[in-house]
């Protein structure tokens, strides 16, 4: 399926090597690589192996976590993002997804300022490497310690504050933004401004039993995924639909069966996406 991408974290128990074998068998065309999957690996070799497996590297997850309480902390975050840019360049990832960060006890306004400053600090290196950056707004339940950017409107505001450089855009993840009454308008705006850099899908289970690791497979929850996908496509977006599922439930089972289910649920959602 031409637009199906799977994140390595989705099948966390599998090594990257196993992902490169199992993903293509299910018609997956793209792979988003999480940095922990790269530990100890030769990045140039990963780029080659991924290409040989017939997979396109869609993005690297993740950079960000810019806010900090000290100057040294801010610099550590910048250094880590510079390293992520080098890694993305080496594995051939055209994009880094930014989970922007937040600091309990620090105002969200201050954190957003630090996020904008952090992105500005690494932007020249990203531009030079030909790597784009995508701000991913996170659901407000993560506003304490994972991201002070919780809506697409706030992500747009940071892009605008940076002078709307072409390299900086937004990753739309249905899990984080499906509830937003402005969602369609903000997706439209992302299309108009050239900021729609990535689209992530999964589902919201009821009741959610874990704030981080209880995401559902598409169809297991209440998100209007198809409708949001149509809004995204209506902007002219032709990129990947990236399946990003953190789930203790799915991780505890057989990952090959899980990948079969991902492929089936994607095909049911997007019957018009042709097989490769
Ligand atoms: Zn995401």
């Amino acid at each position: 399926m031409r637009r199906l991408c799977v994140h390595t974290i989705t099948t966390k128990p599998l090594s990257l090597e196993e992902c490169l074998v199992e993903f293509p068998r299910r018609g997956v065309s793209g792979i988003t690589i999480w940095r922990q999957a790269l530990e100890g690996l030769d990045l140039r070799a990963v780029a080659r192996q991924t290409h040989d497996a017939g997979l396109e590297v869609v993005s690297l997850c993740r950079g960000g976590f810019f806010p900090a309480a000290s100057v040294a902390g801010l610099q550590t975050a910048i250094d880590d993002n510079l390293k992520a840019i080098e890694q993305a360049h080496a594995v051939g990832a055209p994009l880094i997804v930014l989970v922007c960060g937040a600091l309990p006890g620090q105002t969200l306004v201050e954190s957003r300022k630090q996020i904008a400053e952090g992105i500005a600090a690494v932007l020249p290196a990203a531009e030079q490497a030909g790597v784009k950056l995508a701000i991913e707004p996170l659901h407000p339940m993560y506003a304490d310690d994972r991201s002070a950017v919780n809506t697409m409107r706030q992500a747009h505001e940071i892009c605008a504050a940076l002078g709307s450089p072409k390299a900086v855009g937004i990753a739309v993840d249905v899990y984080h933004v499906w509830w937003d009454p402005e969602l369609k308008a903000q997706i439209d705006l992302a299309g108009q401004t050239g900021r729609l850099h990535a689209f992530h899908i999964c589902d919201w289970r009821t009741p959610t039993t874990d704030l981080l690791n209880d995401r559902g497979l598409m169809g297991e929850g209440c998100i209007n995924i198809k409708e949001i996908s149509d809004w995204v496509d209506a902007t002219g977006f032709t990129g990947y639909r990236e399946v990003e599922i953190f789930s203790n439930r799915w991780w505890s089972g057989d990952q090959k069966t899980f990948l079969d289910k991902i492929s089936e649920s994607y095909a049911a959602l997007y019957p018009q996406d042709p097989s490769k």
Side-chain angles (χ1 to χ4, degrees), residues 28 37 48 85 137 174 216 251 255 268 271:
V28 177
R48 210 168 41 242
I85 290 166
V174 298
W251 288 334
Q255 298 304 289

Side-chain angles (χ1 to χ4, degrees), residues 7 97 136 173 176 200 215 244:
H7 284 226
V97 177
E136 178 169 40
D173 185 325
H176 295 301
H200 298 174
R215 293 186 180 206
E244 183 190 27

Side-chain angles (χ1 to χ4, degrees), residues 188-259:
D188 288 347
L189 181 61
Q192 288 155 19
T193 50
R195 292 175 186 154
L196 217 169
H197 281 4
F199 181 52
H200 298 174
I201 56 173
C202 69
D203 217 333
W204 184 284
R205 278 159 50 81
T206 307
T208 287
T209 58
D210 186 295
L211 295 186
L212 194 59
N213 296 325
D214 189 34
R215 293 186 180 206
L217 178 65
M218 297 81 74
E220 284 188 321
C222 61
I223 300 179
N224 51 329
I225 306 171
K226 185 60 173 59
E227 186 178 33
I228 298 172
S229 282
D230 287 345
W231 296 341
V232 165
D233 285 357
T235 70
F237 181 84
T238 56
Y240 283 92
R241 290 130 177 178
E242 304 180 38
V243 178
E244 183 190 27
I245 301 171
F246 317 145
S247 167
N248 292 329
R249 188 172 47 95
W250 284 111
W251 288 334
S252 68
D254 179 65
Q255 298 304 289
K256 294 179 187 176
T257 306
F258 182 29
L259 277 167

Side-chain angles (χ1 to χ4, degrees), residues 37 53 59 71 97 101 114 148 154 172 180 216-217 226 238 255:
S59 55
V71 173
V97 177
Q114 292 180 345
Q154 288 164 349
V172 177
D180 186 345
L217 178 65
K226 185 60 173 59
T238 56
Q255 298 304 289

